[in-house]
């Protein structure tokens, strides 16, 4: 082994010995501290010769101070010659009692012996506090009397005092509620009013009013920039829009409704407050009660409704532009349009209508000049546009397919090009993509409760 190894072994041994010695010293120090804290007593009381136990004291027991017993109240009733009141049996199930207090008469002088013989009842303080009726006294049992005395029987065996003649005390009877005025009969809104888009005020008139008088009141709504409708309920419980034709009729109810949004935006705070104040003023002038029907916060609801309209209010456009042959004549264009089922309307556009006469899609001039019969005889057209207004069509997918078919046939006959809004050629893939988007928008409107192509949609998207 080298010197380095021997030195390391020696150093390790010294460290171990030092640790052992340090532990021994710590243990010895702790042991001494423990002995100093717990000192053994010098004497043992049980081993002392002077210590003894007195058995007589243990058996007799020292008289200790007893705890205070519960306070009792002693009531004494002296039996006189007059018999005690009778107890009327009660079969009432209700806890309310009608209590009759017995008549108290002056008693003669009482001797000590008579007190001893009198029937006594001892009630605790808690029982006394709980009693609401006059005190009830009972005769004592024979076992409670001293052995040398005979029990004194009361005048009557029943326990008297409480007369349960009525199941309900007079003061417990519920007070008659004041008669309330008859609430106005709830009625349904007119069919033309939709809670989805309207804020309505129902006026319950105190007496029938003529249509002319009501129309005169509704002049307050003239400064509101959103559509306001007024309806009257006649004696046959039918609603009528208050037009000039209804001025001679009489109405017992009327409804004022404000459309909260349209394509121009949501109703403003100023217009909403003006409508509400006007309706309240009309009710005050007519002595009518007002019932509001609509959203709890009309302004917030109107803004949310407007945001929904912006999301689903889409217009599908298919453009037919001149091709290699140049512009096409108006006469040829009109013949092709009428052959596809489109009819020229007074607004200067061709319309394809359904069985109910509603417009499914339209065909307009690309340069925004309206069509008319005289113009189409001499004009040369560079392009036309097929348009489908999604919210106004019930079955937008079917109508879209009809419009695509008519546009393809016309473009082929005019030797023109069928393009989108960006004037890019329309392919079958792009058309299928548009068709899927139409289905999504249609589903959104139905989920909102606004049916595409319905009356509410026609008002909202106008």
């Amino acid at each position: 082994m080298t010197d380095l190894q021997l030195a390391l072994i020696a150093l390790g041994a010294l460290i171990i010995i030092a640790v052992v010695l340090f532990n021994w010293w710590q243990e010895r120090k702790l042991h001494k501290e423990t002995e100093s804290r717990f000192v053994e007593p010098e004497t043992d009381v049980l081993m002392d010769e002077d210590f003894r136990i007195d058995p007589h004291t243990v058996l007799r027991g020292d008289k200790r101070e007893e705890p205070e017993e519960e306070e009792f109240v002693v009531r004494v009733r002296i039996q006189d010659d007059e018999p005690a009141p009778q107890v009327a049996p009660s079969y009432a199930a209700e806890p309310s009692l009608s209590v009759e207090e017995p008549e108290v008469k002056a008693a003669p002088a009482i001797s000590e012996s008579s007190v001893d013989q009198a029937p006594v009842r001892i009630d605790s303080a808690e029982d006394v506090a709980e009693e609401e009726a006059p005190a009830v006294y009972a005769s004592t049992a024979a076992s409670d009397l001293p052995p040398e005395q005979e029990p004194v029987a009361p005048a009557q065996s029943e326990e008297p005092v409480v007369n349960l003649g009525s199941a309900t005390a007079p003061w417990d009877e519920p007070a008659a509620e004041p008669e309330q005025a008859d609430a106005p009969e709830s009625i349904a809104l007119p069919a033309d009013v939709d809670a989805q888009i309207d804020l309505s005020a129902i006026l319950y008139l105190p007496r029938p009013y003529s249509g002319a008088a009501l129309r005169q009141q509704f002049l307050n709504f003239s400064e509101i920039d959103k559509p306001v409708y007024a309806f009257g309920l006649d004696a046959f419980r039918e609603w009528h829009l208050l037009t000039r034709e209804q001025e001679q009729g009489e109405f017992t109810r009327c409804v004022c409704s404000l459309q909260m949004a349209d394509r121009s935006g949501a109703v403003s705070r100023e217009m909403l407050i003006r409508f509400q104040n006007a309706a309240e003023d009309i009710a005050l002038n007519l002595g009518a009660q007002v019932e509001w029907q609509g959203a709890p916060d009309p302004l917030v609801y109107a803004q949310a409704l407007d945001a929904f309209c912006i999301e689903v209010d889409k217009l599908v456009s298919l453009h037919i532009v001149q091709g290699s042959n140049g512009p096409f004549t108006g006469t040829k264009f009109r013949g092709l349009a009428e052959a596809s089922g489109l009819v020229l309307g007074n607004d200067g556009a061709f319309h394809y209508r359904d069985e109910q006469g509603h417009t499914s899609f339209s065909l307009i001039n690309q340069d925004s000049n309206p069509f008319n019969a005289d113009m189409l005889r001499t004009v040369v057209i560079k392009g036309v546009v097929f348009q489908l207004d999604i919210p106004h069509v019930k079955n937008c997918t079917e109508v879209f397919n009809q419009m695509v078919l008519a546009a393809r046939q016309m473009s082929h006959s005019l030797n023109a090009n069928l393009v989108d809004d960006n004037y890019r050629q329309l392919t079958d893939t792009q058309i299928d993509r548009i068709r899927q988007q139409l289905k999504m928008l249609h589903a959104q409107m139905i989920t909102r409760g606004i049916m595409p192509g319905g009356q509410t949609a026609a008002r909202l998207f106008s």
Side-chain angles (χ1 to χ4, degrees):
M1 297 178 66
T2 62
D3 294 340
L4 178 60
Q5 293 176 339
L6 292 175
L8 292 175
I9 292 173
L11 180 60
L14 290 175
I15 292 174
I16 293 173
I17 293 172
V19 171
V20 173
L21 291 176
F22 179 76
N23 290 341
W24 172 81
W25 177 76
Q26 289 279 24
E27 183 179 358
R28 185 169 177 272
K29 180 180 178 182
L30 181 61
H31 183 68
K32 288 182 178 182
E33 289 179 357
T34 304
E35 288 182 351
S36 63
R37 292 180 181 178
F38 298 95
V39 181
E40 184 179 358
E42 297 179 358
T43 60
D44 190 349
V45 178
L46 297 178
M47 299 303 295
D48 192 354
E49 294 179 358
D50 296 335
F51 176 78
R52 74 178 188 278
I53 299 174
D54 187 356
H56 300 287
T57 304
V58 174
L59 293 176
R60 182 174 67 252
D62 295 338
K63 185 176 181 181
R64 295 174 295 177
E65 184 180 358
E66 296 293 334
E68 290 184 9
E69 297 183 356
E70 184 181 4
E71 181 183 1
F72 290 87
V73 177
V74 179
R75 300 181 187 177
V76 179
R77 176 177 177 177
I78 307 303
Q79 303 294 333
D80 50 13
D81 296 335
E82 184 179 351
Q86 296 291 330
V87 178
S90 174
Y91 303 98
E94 305 209 2
S96 301
L97 305 177
S98 177
V99 182
E100 296 181 1
E101 296 187 2
E103 182 181 358
V104 180
K105 295 185 177 181
I110 302 172
S111 62
E112 183 177 356
S113 61
S114 63
V115 173
D116 296 335
Q117 296 178 3
V120 178
R121 177 178 175 181
I122 301 176
D123 297 336
S124 65
E126 295 179 356
D127 296 334
V128 174
E130 294 176 357
E131 291 182 358
E132 296 178 0
V136 180
Y137 305 101
S139 61
T140 58
S143 58
D144 297 331
L145 294 174
E148 67 273 8
Q149 293 183 359
E150 293 295 329
V152 179
Q156 295 184 6
S157 58
E158 295 87 5
E159 289 187 17
V161 179
V162 181
N163 183 10
L164 309 178
S166 174
T168 305
W171 53 83
D172 291 335
E173 293 181 0
E177 296 182 358
E179 295 184 359
Q180 298 181 354
D182 294 338
E185 181 184 358
S186 178
I187 55 177
L189 291 174
D192 294 333
V193 176
D194 193 339
Q196 291 281 347
I197 64 173
D198 293 324
L199 175 64
S200 302
I202 304 177
L203 304 184
Y204 296 89
L205 305 176
R207 62 179 180 84
Y209 279 88
S210 66
L214 294 178
R215 282 176 53 84
Q216 185 67 27
Q217 294 290 333
F218 295 149
L219 294 177
N220 296 333
F221 297 134
S222 59
E223 297 181 356
I224 299 177
D225 60 0
K226 293 296 179 188
V228 178
Y229 303 92
F231 299 86
L233 185 70
D234 61 10
F236 300 99
R237 303 185 66 82
E238 294 182 357
W239 289 103
H240 300 276
L241 184 64
L242 294 179
T243 59
R244 291 186 179 275
E245 290 75 11
Q246 303 296 333
E247 289 185 352
Q248 302 303 320
E250 290 190 344
F251 305 94
T252 58
R253 304 283 190 273
C254 64
V255 169
C256 308
S257 64
L258 170 68
Q259 185 172 322
M260 292 185 287
D262 53 21
R263 275 179 169 166
S264 63
V267 64
S268 64
R269 181 186 299 272
E270 179 185 357
M271 292 300 161
L272 182 62
I273 294 175
R274 184 175 297 181
F275 171 77
Q276 292 173 328
N277 291 340
E280 295 287 349
D281 291 342
I282 293 173
L284 185 62
N285 295 336
L286 301 178
Q289 299 183 33
V290 183
E291 178 186 349
W292 289 97
Q293 291 195 10
D297 191 339
L299 183 61
V300 175
Y301 184 85
Q303 294 171 352
L305 182 62
D306 181 58
F308 167 77
C309 293
I310 295 174
E311 184 178 358
V312 300
D313 191 10
K314 305 298 181 183
L315 184 69
V316 180
S317 299
L318 304 178
H319 299 259
I320 297 179
V321 296
Q322 62 183 6
S324 57
N325 294 338
F328 40 89
T329 62
T331 53
K332 184 176 183 180
F333 161 73
R334 181 178 180 178
L336 292 174
E338 292 178 349
S340 300
L342 287 95
V343 179
L344 180 61
N346 296 328
D347 57 351
F350 287 88
H351 299 281
Y352 185 91
R353 304 184 185 276
D354 58 12
E355 297 177 354
Q356 289 76 29
H358 300 149
T359 299
S360 297
F361 58 89
S362 303
L363 180 60
I364 64 174
N365 195 351
Q366 190 178 40
D367 58 7
S368 301
N369 291 327
F371 294 121
N372 58 66
D374 295 335
M375 182 192 87
L376 290 174
R377 294 190 185 98
T378 59
V379 73
V380 175
I381 302 173
K382 296 181 179 180
V384 294
V385 182
F386 283 86
Q387 290 184 338
L388 170 61
D389 196 352
I390 298 174
H392 289 269
V393 179
K394 292 183 179 180
N395 302 317
C396 59
T397 304
E398 297 179 3
V399 173
F400 176 73
N401 293 336
Q402 293 176 353
M403 187 176 72
V404 170
L405 179 61
R408 283 178 170 174
Q409 291 176 349
M410 183 174 291
S411 63
H412 179 73
S413 300
L414 295 175
N415 196 19
N417 298 323
L418 182 61
V419 297
D420 59 11
D421 291 335
N422 298 321
Y423 293 94
R424 293 179 300 186
Q425 195 75 25
L426 271 175
T427 62
D428 292 341
T429 303
Q430 292 174 328
I431 292 175
D432 289 339
R433 188 180 297 113
I434 295 173
R435 189 179 291 113
Q436 295 300 323
Q437 292 176 353
L438 293 178
K439 293 180 179 179
M440 293 176 60
L441 295 175
H442 187 84
Q444 282 183 269
M445 294 187 64
I446 294 177
T447 303
R448 179 80 184 195
I450 300 174
M451 298 302 297
Q455 182 178 0
T456 301
R459 290 174 49 200
L460 188 59
F461 299 94
S462 61

